[in-house]
Amino acid sequence: MVFITEDIIKQFQTMMEKTDEPLKKTFESIHQEYPKETLVRFLKARDGNVSNAYKMLTDCLNWRIQNEIDNILAKPIIPDELYRGIRDSQLVGMSGYSKEGLPVIAVGVGLSTFDKASIHYYSMTGSIFKTLNWHLTSGMG
């Protein structure tokens, strides 16, 4: 593991300041008011090598621009039935609290299928919920 110094971060910041405006705008979407921390993540991913981190970040930003990721929610998903079916079939949500009072989030990995996109199909008796319940009651959660 490499130690990321302030000098390395400043070098990376200087390179980012010289990028084109569209990349800077997309970078704002990525860093969500934590630009330094985001640069550190990319530096760590490339073992502190500023040039490699810069390439990785600009490739990421260019991909976001080419695929219009920052505007993806502005476009409606057509057909509407497809959107609603997908949305309704995704099993993600808070299911309660652990013994310590922490929120428990259930993610139905592997159970979400478009052909069974009904909230009534998935019930608290399903195997994922039995497993989750076991973890909570046995202190594993």
Side-chain angles (χ1 to χ4, degrees):
M1 183 156 99
V2 83
F3 183 71
I4 307 298
T5 65
E6 288 295 321
D7 288 339
I8 294 172
I9 296 168
K10 289 199 185 296
Q11 288 176 19
F12 199 3
Q13 286 171 329
T14 302
M15 292 176 82
M16 287 305 296
E17 288 168 3
K18 296 176 183 176
T19 60
D20 296 335
E21 212 46 50
L23 292 178
K24 287 180 185 177
K25 187 174 184 227
T26 299
F27 182 61
E28 288 176 13
S29 295
I30 288 180
H31 72 61
Q32 299 178 357
E33 299 184 23
Y34 294 97
K36 183 177 177 181
E37 291 81 355
T38 302
L39 294 177
V40 169
R41 277 193 353 246
F42 280 87
L43 285 165
K44 284 182 178 180
R46 292 297 174 247
D47 296 322
N49 184 306
V50 178
S51 297
N52 290 347
Y54 178 78
K55 180 176 180 349
M56 181 184 183
L57 179 54
T58 55
D59 287 349
C60 172
L61 297 174
N62 281 317
W63 178 85
R64 289 178 65 91
I65 290 168
Q66 290 166 0
N67 292 285
E68 301 178 4
I69 300 300
D70 295 333
N71 299 321
I72 204 161
L73 296 177
K75 299 178 205 169
I77 298 172
I78 299 173
D80 190 50
E81 310 83 56
L82 175 64
Y83 167 73
R84 294 202 186 288
I86 292 170
R87 185 190 68 191
D88 293 343
S89 70
Q90 300 305 305
L91 296 176
V92 178
M94 192 171 126
S95 64
Y97 294 92
S98 70
K99 291 178 181 178
E100 293 81 24
L102 300 171
V104 175
I105 306 297
V107 179
V109 180
L111 294 178
S112 292
T113 57
F114 182 67
D115 61 330
K116 296 176 182 170
S118 166
I119 58 171
H120 303 294
Y121 177 79
Y122 305 103
S123 67
M124 291 303 283
T125 60
S127 62
I128 189 78
F129 293 107
K130 285 181 183 175
T131 303
L132 180 61
N133 187 43
W134 178 83
H135 280 284
L136 291 175
T137 57
S138 67
M140 300 293 290

